[in-house]
């Protein structure tokens, strides 16, 4: 068990600090118990309560798992479902209590005289005031600065809107109880309201019976804008701009918003045949519709609040002129309302032009015409703002109007940038099809790389389209052309920010980049010009495997040497974005080897950017788990190599992590602050602290190679490993059941390389091995150190001074704290081949012990979570709820694989996946 490697604070002070959290968990758990007893009867309540009691006894090592398993293994499927649902809701409510406790601790910290914590904007601004660089360095570094969290779909984030809303209501009532002194009746009413929400959750199906569709995932992603992002993101943009300009006056820093939003949902078609042209149109139009609907509501509220009469307060001539355009409005003494109604009328017409329908609550405004761009609406709002400020009404201008203006600057009419993504192999097949039909070349795919590049460059020099009337192509080519055409329509309708990037998965060559350019030209987006090609869409190579990362810099250097590609980069102000794949590199080479390959690739890419005089922006394809690049964002960004951030980065936010970070304003504020703080500090301060890097880099080269060898020996070289993986984890069921819109594998093969990273990591997480987040590291460290005390001292020094190495070790420890080899051993019994089971699981157990031992040797701490009190609390308070879910998942998998066709068995497996993902909070 992992908990033998954790040291819990049982002192009086430690218990006092966490007592409010435990009280909340007891309260919510008690109310759930009441609902369970009332709805399902004493027998089911007693079963769940006995399972809970025994689970906590297992945690305290008072009973063994064999006795616990006896309670659950023989249960009927119906009773098993009751237990699964109960513990899934226990986990959900415990998450909620933890979120509230973090708010509580943060508020106490803010109220104290202690320095602001790292990861907050207050701390970052204090560091810049004390030790910031020269103004000219700041101005250059923050030119074109941009921080973009990009939401992506994930199979475990499929909670229904009802569940989402019920959680929010419970949190609000819990906050009310804490912040106000309630009468006895008010307390009873508050508890009754909370119980109603818990009852609603109990009677609501936590998951859908049908496979999630991409349109469902689009709506789930849009949910977080109303929940938090419309409020928080513009506020933070305004605050960062204001404070940086106070620290560095006269520079006009960040004229454009620093924080923006991005999405892959509906544009990422790599291995997902469900993404077609209609889905791209839906994703882009629903985003714009969400933005315009928000603005129209804000304008309606603004019209109500700006009631000032010209008889009481003079206004500017520009405001009077704007109000006068609203000829049908008789409120002549209320010009602010007239002006706002005019803006509403024009935005309503914009809505009609975009979507062909009248928005809800529309008011007729004579003569109003659609806005052409968001800047036109912003100009009208600026007139209103200037008039208010000219009369000393700054307080009013800085309220609702400022929030609307900042939202418009941050989201435009498009809301978020929808990235396109496709695999390079599909691009090659599509271009080959196009070239064959147009008579350019009969078999493009057979050419060598140099010949491909020559042919593509020649094609990019001509405006001549390849597709003509009556052209007939394969189904894949037809779909690809329709998708890029739909993206072009979105750009023409909503602006170039609507589809800003085209990501090329498994990019390995210059031809992969130029093939994408040809497809963009065919869609009418790329214009060859007269020796100066332009395109509103960035072409973004995604380097994923360790081999591709190792040659990423040479690939980029070669691409920039191609004149037409360099023209495209220059047309974007010299900006070249590169995406780094954390998931496939980890699956390919293991945790430590992948992390070091990424670091090395960033160093090399930074050097190429400097050499070629381009501005590099890195896009980090991080998943929720450490095995897919996850972990605390603040520390991860500070761990980037020097020069890799320079004011800009994009990163993916996935799955249940999105809800954990953006479900409501306090969460969104904390997490977006961490992103911005780390970006500013990594860009403007010396955070690496290594001094002489050559020796450290050489040492990590050696250690990473050892780690990759140790990982490969298990995953790639052990006979029967794939069979063990398939039998001992729910990976096959993840593919069979209705989880997510995307197939579990890119191709219908048995190879690990073709399996998607999400089911790979999710399967190991659910079975509590957590293998992608640590395996191979212990062996590598042990072999490299050997008996050499000097080498161990070197690693300890790196751990003390080097953020990269600190983060690698800290994230590894977080993963191992969530692992539980006692539970994993029970999953291993699903493998019928006893020799295979003992061979593979024995290696896992040995490496787990080795890694824990080397962590202690390097860090000087036996406690895996010595530096993460919040996660330690979570493990202590919440992980017993995983015990019944894991045991029942194993039992139901055994029944399902034995041929039990009861739909309730399948549903139970799916519910355990959902419940475990909720409890782990980052499972895939």
């Amino acid at each position: 068990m992992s908990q033998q490697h954790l040291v819990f604070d049982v002192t009086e002070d430690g218990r006092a600090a966490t007592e409010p959290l435990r009280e909340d968990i007891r309260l919510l758990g008690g109310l759930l118990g009441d609902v369970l007893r009332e709805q399902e009867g004493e027998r089911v309540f007693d079963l769940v309560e006995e399972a809970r009691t025994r689970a906590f006894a297992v945690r305290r090592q008072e009973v063994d798992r064999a006795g616990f398993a006896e309670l659950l293994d023989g249960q009927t499927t119906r009773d098993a479902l009751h237990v699964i649902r109960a513990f899934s809701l226990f986990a959900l409510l415990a998450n909620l209590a933890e979120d509230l406790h973090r708010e509580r601790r943060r508020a106490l910290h803010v109220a104290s005289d202690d320095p602001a914590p790292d990861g907050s904007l207050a701390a970052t601004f204090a560091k810049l005031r004390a030790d910031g660089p020269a103004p000219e360095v700041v101005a250059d570094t923050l030119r074109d600065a941009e921080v973009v969290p990009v939401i992506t779909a994930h199979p475990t984030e499929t909670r229904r809107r009802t569940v989402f809303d019920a959680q929010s209501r419970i949190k609000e009532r819990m906050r009310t109880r804490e912040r106000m002194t309630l009468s006895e009746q008010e307390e009873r009413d508050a508890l009754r309201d909370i119980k109603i929400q818990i009852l609603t959750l109990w009677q609501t199906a936590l998951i859908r019976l049908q496979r999630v569709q991409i349109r469902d995932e689009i709506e789930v992603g849009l949910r977080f804008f109303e929940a938090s992002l419309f409020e928080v993101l513009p506020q933070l943009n305004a605050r960062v701009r204001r404070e940086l300009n106070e620290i560095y006056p006269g520079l006009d820093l960040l004229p454009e918003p620093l924080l923006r939003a991005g999405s892959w949902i509906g544009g990422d078609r790599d291995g997902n045949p469900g993404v077609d042209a209609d889905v791209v149109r839906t994703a882009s139009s629903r985003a714009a519709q969400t933005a315009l609907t928000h603005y129209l509501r804000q304008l309606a509220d603004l019209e109500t609040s700006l009631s000032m009469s010209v008889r009481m307060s003079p206004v500017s001539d520009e405001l009077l002129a704007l109000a006068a355009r609203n000829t049908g409005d008789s409120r002549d003494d209320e010009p602010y309302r007239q002006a706002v109604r005019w803006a509403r009328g024009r935005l309503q017409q914009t809505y009609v032009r975009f979507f062909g329908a009248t928005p809800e609550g529309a008011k007729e405004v004579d003569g109003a015409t659609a806005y052409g761009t968001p800047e036109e609406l912003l100009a009208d709002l600026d007139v209103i703002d200037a008039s208010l400020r000219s009369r000393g009404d700054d307080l009013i201008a800085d309220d609702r109007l400022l929030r609307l203006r900042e939202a418009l600057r941050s989201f435009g009419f498009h809301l978020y940038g929808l990235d396109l993504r496709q695999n390079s192999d599909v691009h090659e097949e599509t271009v080959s099809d196009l070239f064959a039909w147009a008579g350019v070349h009969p078999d493009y795919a057979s050419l060598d790389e140099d010949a491909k590049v020559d042919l593509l460059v020649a094609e990019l020099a001509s405006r001549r389209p390849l597709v003509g009337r009556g052209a007939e192509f394969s189904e894949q080519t037809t779909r690809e052309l329709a998708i890029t055409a739909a993206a072009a329509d979105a750009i023409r309708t909503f602006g170039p920010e609507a589809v800003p990037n085209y990501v090329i998965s498994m990019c390995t060559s210059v031809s992969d980049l130029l093939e994408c350019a040809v497809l963009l030209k065919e869609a009418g987006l790329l214009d060859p010009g007269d020796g100066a090609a332009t395109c509103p869409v960035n072409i973004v190579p995604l380097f994923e495997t360790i081999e591709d990362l190792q040659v990423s810099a040479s690939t980029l250097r070669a691409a920039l040497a191609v004149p037409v590609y360099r023209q495209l980069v220059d047309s974007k102000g010299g900006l070249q974005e590169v995406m780094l794949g954390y998931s496939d590199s980890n699956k390919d080479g293991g945790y430590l080897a992948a992390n070091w390959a990424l670091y090395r690739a960033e160093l090399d890419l930074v050097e190429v950017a400097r050499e070629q005089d381009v501005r590099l922006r890195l896009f980090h394809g991080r998943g929720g788990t450490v095995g897919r690049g996850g972990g605390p964002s603040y520390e991860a960004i500070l761990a980037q190599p020097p020069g890799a951030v320079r004011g800009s980065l994009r990163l993916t936010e996935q799955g249940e992590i999105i809800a954990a970070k953006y479900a409501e304003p306090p969460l969104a504020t904390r997490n977006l602050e961490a992103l911005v703080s780390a970006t500013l500090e990594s860009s403007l301060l010396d955070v690496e602290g290594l001094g002489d890097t050559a020796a450290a880099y050489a040492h990590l080269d050696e250690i990473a190679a050892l780690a990759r060898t140790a990982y490969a020996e298990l995953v790639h070289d052990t006979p029967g490993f794939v069979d063990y993986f398939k039998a001992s984890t729910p990976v096959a069921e993840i593919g069979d059941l209705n989880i997510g819109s995307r197939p579990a594998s890119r191709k219908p093969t048995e190879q690990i390389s073709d399996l998607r990273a999400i089911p790979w990591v999710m399967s190991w997480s659910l079975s509590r091995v957590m293998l992608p987040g640590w395996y191979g590291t212990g062996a590598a460290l042990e072999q490299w150190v050997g008996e050499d005390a000097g080498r161990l001292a070197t690693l300890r020094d790196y751990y003390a001074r080097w953020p990269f190495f600190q983060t690698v070790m800290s994230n590894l420890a977080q993963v191992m704290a969530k692992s539980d080899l006692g539970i994993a051993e029970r999953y291993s019994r699903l493998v019928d081949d006893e020799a295979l089971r003992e061979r593979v699981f024995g290696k896992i157990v040995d490496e787990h012990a080795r890694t824990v031992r080397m962590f202690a040797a390097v860090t000087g701490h036996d406690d895996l979570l010595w530096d993460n009190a919040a996660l330690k609390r979570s493990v202590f308070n919440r992980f017993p709820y995983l015990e019944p879910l894991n045991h029942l998942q194993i039992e139901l998998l055994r029944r399902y694989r034995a041929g039990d066709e009861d739909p309730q068995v399948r549903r139970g497996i799916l519910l355990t996946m959902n419940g475990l993902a909720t409890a782990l909070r980052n499972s895939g």
Side-chain angles (χ1 to χ4, degrees), residues 234-251:
Q235 286 180 353
L236 289 179
N237 275 330
R239 180 184 174 192
V240 173
R241 183 174 64 251
R242 181 182 66 252
E243 298 222 25
L244 281 178
N245 280 291
E246 288 177 0
I247 298 171
Y248 296 99
L251 296 182

Side-chain angles (χ1 to χ4, degrees), residues 619-631:
F619 182 11
H620 300 270
R622 304 173 73 229
T625 58
V626 168
R628 298 186 56 240

Side-chain angles (χ1 to χ4, degrees), residues 306 308-310 313-323 334-337 339-340 379-398 401 405:
L306 294 184
M308 292 79 75
S309 168
V310 71
S313 175
V315 300
S316 69
D317 292 341
E318 292 80 8
L319 189 281
L320 289 173
L322 180 61
E334 297 177 340
Y336 285 111
R337 282 180 165 172
V340 173
D380 284 349
L381 297 178
D382 287 348
V383 169
I384 299 171
D385 177 76
S387 180
L388 287 169
R389 294 185 191 280
S390 71
R391 302 299 182 259
D393 292 334
D394 295 54
L395 191 62
I396 296 174
D398 286 338
L401 177 60
R405 292 169 62 231

Side-chain angles (χ1 to χ4, degrees), residues 173-444:
R173 295 305 278 162
M174 294 288 285
R175 290 188 185 107
T176 299
R177 292 179 63 250
E178 180 157 353
R179 293 173 183 170
M180 299 176 61
T181 301
L182 303 182
S183 67
E184 291 185 7
Q185 184 59 49
E186 288 171 334
E187 172 71 3
R188 285 193 294 270
D189 290 344
L191 294 178
R192 178 177 176 276
D193 289 347
I194 294 170
K195 186 175 179 181
I196 287 172
Q197 300 308 316
I198 294 175
L199 174 59
T200 300
L201 289 171
W202 180 254
Q203 295 185 342
T204 298
L206 298 177
I207 53 176
R208 298 177 178 87
L209 298 181
Q210 299 79 24
R211 179 177 288 277
V212 174
Q213 301 299 307
I214 298 172
R215 286 171 175 81
D216 299 323
E217 293 172 333
I218 291 169
E219 294 302 321
V220 169
L222 292 173
R223 174 190 304 167
F224 295 99
F225 288 86
E226 288 290 352
S228 69
L229 293 176
F230 276 138
E231 175 183 339
V232 172
L233 192 146
Q235 286 180 353
L236 289 179
N237 275 330
R239 180 184 174 192
V240 173
R241 183 174 64 251
R242 181 182 66 252
E243 298 222 25
L244 281 178
N245 280 291
E246 288 177 0
I247 298 171
Y248 296 99
L251 296 182
D252 190 25
L253 297 173
L254 303 179
E256 296 298 321
L258 176 64
L259 277 165
R260 295 186 184 273
S263 176
W264 272 17
I265 309 175
D268 175 15
R269 60 197 190 280
D270 179 14
N272 191 347
V275 176
D276 57 18
D278 285 341
V279 168
V280 171
R281 278 189 284 268
T282 297
S284 56
S285 63
R286 280 292 298 124
Q289 191 174 34
T290 300
L292 264 64
T293 299
H294 174 73
Y295 300 150
L296 286 167
R297 288 174 182 158
Q298 295 303 305
L299 283 169
D301 291 342
L302 189 63
E303 182 180 344
T304 300
S305 64
L306 294 184
S307 60
M308 292 79 75
S309 168
V310 71
R311 291 175 292 158
M312 309 300 294
S313 175
V315 300
S316 69
D317 292 341
E318 292 80 8
L319 189 281
L320 289 173
L322 180 61
R325 298 177 192 174
N326 187 2
T327 58
D329 194 323
S330 61
R331 297 173 293 183
D332 293 338
D333 68 328
E334 297 177 340
Y336 285 111
R337 282 180 165 172
Q338 287 179 313
V340 173
R341 174 65 67 86
W342 175 251
R344 283 181 66 188
R346 293 198 65 187
L347 192 60
Q348 287 167 180
Q349 291 304 310
T350 308
Y351 188 103
V352 172
R353 178 166 67 85
F354 284 170
F355 312 116
T358 302
E360 183 179 349
K363 301 289 186 181
E364 187 72 25
V365 179
D366 294 342
T369 58
Y371 286 113
T373 65
E375 288 73 25
E376 293 179 14
L377 171 55
L378 187 59
D380 284 349
L381 297 178
D382 287 348
V383 169
I384 299 171
D385 177 76
S387 180
L388 287 169
R389 294 185 191 280
S390 71
R391 302 299 182 259
D393 292 334
D394 295 54
L395 191 62
I396 296 174
D398 286 338
D399 188 36
R400 191 182 302 277
L401 177 60
L402 179 61
R403 293 198 298 271
L404 175 56
R405 292 169 62 231
E406 290 293 344
L408 191 60
R409 285 165 48 86
S410 301
F411 301 113
F413 286 165
H414 62 288
L415 185 66
Y416 54 52
L418 178 69
D419 286 1
L420 299 182
R421 182 171 78 132
Q422 183 54 287
N423 192 285
S424 61
D425 288 345
V426 174
H427 289 159
E428 182 182 78
E429 293 164 8
T430 303
V431 169
S432 185
D433 205 4
L434 291 174
F435 280 178
W437 187 89
V440 175
H441 195 281
D443 189 9
Y444 164 81

